[in-house]
Amino acid sequence: MGDIASLISAVIAAICAVGSLVGWFLARKEANKAAERASKALEASERKAKALESLVVQGRDAAERAELAVSTAQEHSESALRSAEAVEAIAAAFKPAKLTIEWNSRNLFVLRNTSGAPITVTAFSDPDAFVRLPFDVPVTILPNESIQGRALSVHGRDFPSELVLIIDGASSPVVVPTTDRPI
């Protein structure tokens, strides 16, 4: 009986050893799978981190390009504004005066309307600059027509070098030079 008990003990010990070996083998296999999953998860998170880092770099580059584009657009806008102002100044310099003076003699002139619309002179800006007003106001001068005026210089007061006229519908006085007066 002692041999049977020893034999049973030996068989049970062998079964336990085989069970332990199988358990150890399965645990080892499960540990390897867990390590492999962890490694794959780590690789995936590293790929995601690199992708996010790449997106951040691309975003910074895009922001820098956008900032440069805005700066360039502002420079072009300022340049266009300066060009428009220059064109307006050039156009104003070449635009003929709407009212001009043509001298007939030392004391007689005509104020001519060279525009295509009637112009109504309502007053002189500084009537005290004249010994006597050169013509009666208000007066309407039709397109390509003129009115006659007198340029009087008496008692040491010279006729002004310009007529500053208040024109109906104009926001500011109109200056008409009285240059080229005959001697």
Side-chain angles (χ1 to χ4, degrees):
M1 201 122 157
D3 283 336
I4 293 180
S6 291
L7 184 61
I8 292 177
S9 257
V11 171
I12 291 178
I15 290 174
C16 284
V18 169
S20 292
L21 183 60
V22 168
W24 177 79
F25 181 70
L26 291 175
R28 194 76 184 126
K29 189 175 179 183
E30 196 59 40
N32 285 341
K33 285 182 182 177
E36 191 176 315
R37 283 192 301 264
S39 174
K40 287 181 181 179
L42 181 61
E43 287 175 10
S45 66
E46 286 175 354
R47 280 194 306 271
K48 287 180 183 177
K50 286 181 183 178
L52 287 175
E53 186 177 322
S54 174
L55 287 174
V56 167
V57 168
Q58 289 174 358
R60 281 190 200 131
D61 290 345
E64 288 174 2
R65 286 192 304 274
E67 188 175 319
L68 181 60
V70 166
S71 173
T72 302
Q74 284 176 333
E75 290 173 6
H76 286 219
S77 173
E78 291 168 0
S79 176
L81 182 61
R82 286 191 304 272
S83 294
E85 289 172 351
V87 166
E88 286 178 12
I90 291 169
F94 287 109
K95 183 179 177 183
K98 290 183 177 183
L99 293 172
T100 60
I101 288 188
E102 299 170 5
W103 291 96
N104 293 334
S105 69
R106 171 102 179 114
N107 294 326
L108 294 176
F109 66 89
V110 291
L111 179 64
R112 184 169 306 281
N113 176 359
T114 61
S115 74
I119 295 177
T120 300
V121 179
T122 58
F124 289 88
S125 178
D126 185 13
D128 295 333
F130 305 96
V131 173
R132 182 174 151 238
L133 291 179
F135 52 86
D136 293 329
V137 288
V139 64
T140 299
I141 309 170
L142 298 176
N144 298 317
E145 297 290 325
S146 60
I147 60 166
Q148 192 165 3
R150 274 191 189 274
L152 298 177
S153 299
V154 291
H155 306 295
R157 289 181 65 186
D158 287 334
F159 189 73
S161 61
E162 60 189 20
L163 299 178
V164 183
L165 306 172
I166 307 297
I167 305 295
D168 189 32
S171 60
S172 59
V174 174
V175 177
V176 181
T178 60
T179 56
D180 299 329
R181 184 178 182 190
I183 296 175

